[in-house]
Amino acid sequence: MSPNPLAESDLTPRVMLRRLRTRCLGRAYEFLPACASTNDVARARAAAGAAEGFVIVADSQSAGRGRLGRSWHSPPGQNLYLSLLLRPALPARQVAPLTLLAGAALARTLTAAGVTPRLHWPNDLLVPAAGEFRKAAGILTEMATSGEEVRHVVVGIGLNVNGQEFPPDLAQRATSLRLALGRACDRAKLLVDFLAAFEPIYGDFLVRGPAAGLQEWRRHADLGRVCRIDRDGARVEGIATDIDDSGALLVRDDAGRMHRIASGEMSEQAGG
Ligand code: BT5
């Protein structure tokens, strides 16, 4: 009889709930062998009343999404694709730092796993592979609002854990923890460790604001490099000097002018 890998999955609720160390995050937990996008499932569960801390994990996604309509390569059996539902009682304009705070928690988790991650504003996590830093994780934060108030936030994370091969368009840019560490990793452990790292960072954010979490983000960030930002058809080139207290990127151009970039795409310049 051939084994049923999904019945034995390391990510099923039975296994996960035993391993969780959090009070809230992941205490409501769902696992799907496959779905289109975990962010879409989380949004549907939010509309049906799911509580703060709900986590949905899929073993594979057929329409995993990045930002701006881009796709997230999501094959089965190897990686982590998760969405975390949050219901912060905050005005919508204060929610932007959450992507960076999730990045900080992910960086803490991976550091503990033995890799040296590098956070790339706003939502990429890179790890060393083949003599350079390559993308191993991405974060997609989506929000539903009612006027000025947040109804819910979905923080979606894709983390390449044990994948070793990528489609041609990603082969030179993507990597995984397994390729970085030279050994397979326990994705359920990474998930429970991430949730345990993020819970206090999120709690501190709700009570005191984002400063401490953003400081942790800075410690892992690839700031100080020459970069190019494209937004709304306009281009800013300069040095990515810092982030401000809302998580926006601060770029100093050649003329010394500072530009505050609330959202956009940061590409490194050749030689930067
Ligand atoms: C992101 O977007 O990096 C956010 C990705 C979030 C994915 C998670 S998976 C769970 C949850 N459910 C979803 O549907 N999404 C979230 P962005 O910055 O736009 O980067 C997307 C780009 O990363 C693509 O255009 C590719 O170049 C590259 N890419 C795609 N799949 C990748 C992978 N598996 N590993 C590394 N890079 C990848």
Side-chain angles (χ1 to χ4, degrees), residues 35-40 56 61 63-75 79-83 122-125 134-142 154-160 166-167 169-170 173-175 265:
C35 71
S37 156
T38 57
N39 269 32
D40 292 346
I56 159 83
Q61 299 181 117
R65 288 189 276 114
R67 298 176 306 146
L68 308 169
R70 293 186 285 240
S71 66
W72 188 257
H73 174 63
S74 310
N79 303 318
L80 268 176
Y81 318 110
L82 72 114
S83 295
N123 68 321
D124 289 349
L125 183 145
R134 291 187 177 182
K135 184 163 175 172
I139 302 170
L140 176 67
T141 304
E142 297 178 313
V154 171
V155 180
I157 297 178
L159 172 63
N160 300 325
F166 295 91
D169 59 320
L170 294 178
R173 292 184 287 147
T175 190
E265 194 72 25

Side-chain angles (χ1 to χ4, degrees), residues 111-137:
T111 302
V115 282
T116 308
R118 181 181 279 180
L119 294 170
H120 183 78
W121 188 90
N123 68 321
D124 289 349
L125 183 145
L126 318 177
V127 298
E132 56 181 358
F133 276 81
R134 291 187 177 182
K135 184 163 175 172

Side-chain angles (χ1 to χ4, degrees), residues 229-235 263-265:
I229 309 281
D230 290 307
R231 52 164 183 181
D232 307 331
R235 174 167 290 188
S263 67
E265 194 72 25

Side-chain angles (χ1 to χ4, degrees), residues 236 239-242 249-253 255-260:
V236 176
I239 308 273
T241 55
D242 200 359
L249 187 69
L250 301 174
V251 177
R252 192 178 59 239
D253 68 19
R257 278 187 306 261
M258 288 300 275
H259 300 260
R260 180 182 178 278

Side-chain angles (χ1 to χ4, degrees), residues 64-243:
R65 288 189 276 114
R67 298 176 306 146
L68 308 169
R70 293 186 285 240
S71 66
W72 188 257
H73 174 63
S74 310
Q78 303 167 351
N79 303 318
L80 268 176
Y81 318 110
L82 72 114
S83 295
L84 168 61
L85 174 66
L86 301 173
R87 296 188 181 275
L90 292 174
R93 64 191 148 72
Q94 290 181 19
V95 159
L98 275 175
T99 301
L100 279 69
L101 302 189
L106 200 54
R108 192 192 286 185
T109 306
L110 298 194
T111 302
V115 282
T116 308
R118 181 181 279 180
L119 294 170
H120 183 78
W121 188 90
N123 68 321
D124 289 349
L125 183 145
L126 318 177
V127 298
E132 56 181 358
F133 276 81
R134 291 187 177 182
K135 184 163 175 172
I139 302 170
L140 176 67
T141 304
E142 297 178 313
M143 172 167 67
T145 55
S146 166
E148 287 288 287
E149 293 302 305
V150 174
R151 290 206 340 257
H152 70 252
V153 178
V154 171
V155 180
I157 297 178
L159 172 63
N160 300 325
V161 180
N162 290 320
Q164 302 196 78
E165 282 171 11
F166 295 91
D169 59 320
L170 294 178
Q172 303 303 315
R173 292 184 287 147
T175 190
S176 67
L177 296 189
R178 181 175 189 149
L179 291 171
L181 286 167
R183 60 174 167 80
C185 293
D186 176 352
R187 56 188 180 161
K189 176 170 168 39
L190 290 164
L191 175 57
V192 297
D193 287 353
F194 166 73
L195 295 173
F198 187 56
E199 189 166 84
I201 292 174
Y202 177 62
D204 189 68
F205 165 66
L206 293 180
V207 176
R208 278 180 280 272
L214 293 179
Q215 191 54 27
E216 184 159 356
W217 186 90
R218 275 188 193 94
R219 280 203 294 276
H220 296 282
D222 60 351
L223 292 169
R225 292 162 176 268
V226 180
C227 71
R228 188 183 70 223
I229 309 281
D230 290 307
R231 52 164 183 181
D232 307 331
R235 174 167 290 188
V236 176
E237 290 179 352
I239 308 273
T241 55
D242 200 359
I243 49 169

